[in-house]
Every structure is written in C-alpha cells, then in structure tokens.
Amino acid sequence: EQWLNENCAGVEIKSVASLLGGDLEVEGGGSYAVPYVGYASLLVEIDGIDLYVPFLISKEKISQPIIGYNVISSLTEGA
C-alpha cells in the first residue's frame, strides 16, 4: 500500500469482492495468511506488451510479488 501511494498516487484501491464476487484468502510461503486491503489495476509492460494487471494491495511489505496465471496466460496467447 505504501509503494502504491508513493508511486501511483490517485490509483483507486477496490474491493476484492467486486472483482471475484466474494472474499479471497491468500497464503504466503510457510502457510501464513497475507492480509490485504483490496486490489488496484495497474498498467504493466512485460516483454514489450502492455497489460492492465490486478494487484492485491497489502499493508505488509512483500519483496518478491508473484505474477499470477492470468498475466502469464495473456502473454502466451497466440505464441
């Protein structure tokens, strides 16, 4: 959340329920719960391809965020 506020001021944090139709439980390595406050759609460029990607926003600092299957499948379509 701190990174989002510092680097993408004005980007709205939305409810995960509005995206998925319900709540989401996220576990990190070691099976600990990762608390989040919502999600934000950010424009990301990967290998020259621009995609809007929903990122979970957490109050905890996560040094290595995980790219989900939805992003990977978008990049490999038509490959």
Side-chain angles (χ1 to χ4, degrees), residues 11-35:
V11 171
E12 180 183 2
I13 297 175
K14 301 175 185 174
S15 164
V16 170
S18 70
L19 181 66
L20 300 177
D23 287 329
L24 176 69
E25 291 184 25
V26 180
E27 289 185 0
S31 297
Y32 69 93
V34 177

Side-chain angles (χ1 to χ4, degrees), residues 24-36 56 58-66:
L24 176 69
E25 291 184 25
V26 180
E27 289 185 0
S31 297
Y32 69 93
V34 177
Y36 62 88
L56 280 178
S58 174
K59 290 193 176 290
E60 291 185 8
K61 185 176 182 176
I62 300 172
S63 61
Q64 296 180 336
I66 299 168

Side-chain angles (χ1 to χ4, degrees):
E1 185 176 33
Q2 180 182 352
W3 183 92
L4 183 70
N5 291 332
E6 291 172 1
N7 295 281
C8 301
V11 171
E12 180 183 2
I13 297 175
K14 301 175 185 174
S15 164
V16 170
S18 70
L19 181 66
L20 300 177
D23 287 329
L24 176 69
E25 291 184 25
V26 180
E27 289 185 0
S31 297
Y32 69 93
V34 177
Y36 62 88
V37 295
Y39 82 96
S41 290
L42 302 176
L43 181 61
V44 177
E45 180 184 334
I46 300 174
D47 198 28
I49 300 170
D50 290 337
L51 296 169
Y52 276 97
V53 178
F55 284 86
L56 280 178
I57 307 301
S58 174
K59 290 193 176 290
E60 291 185 8
K61 185 176 182 176
I62 300 172
S63 61
Q64 296 180 336
I66 299 168
I67 296 177
Y69 178 76
N70 60 330
V71 175
I72 295 167
S73 65
S74 293
L75 292 172
T76 59
E77 285 179 1

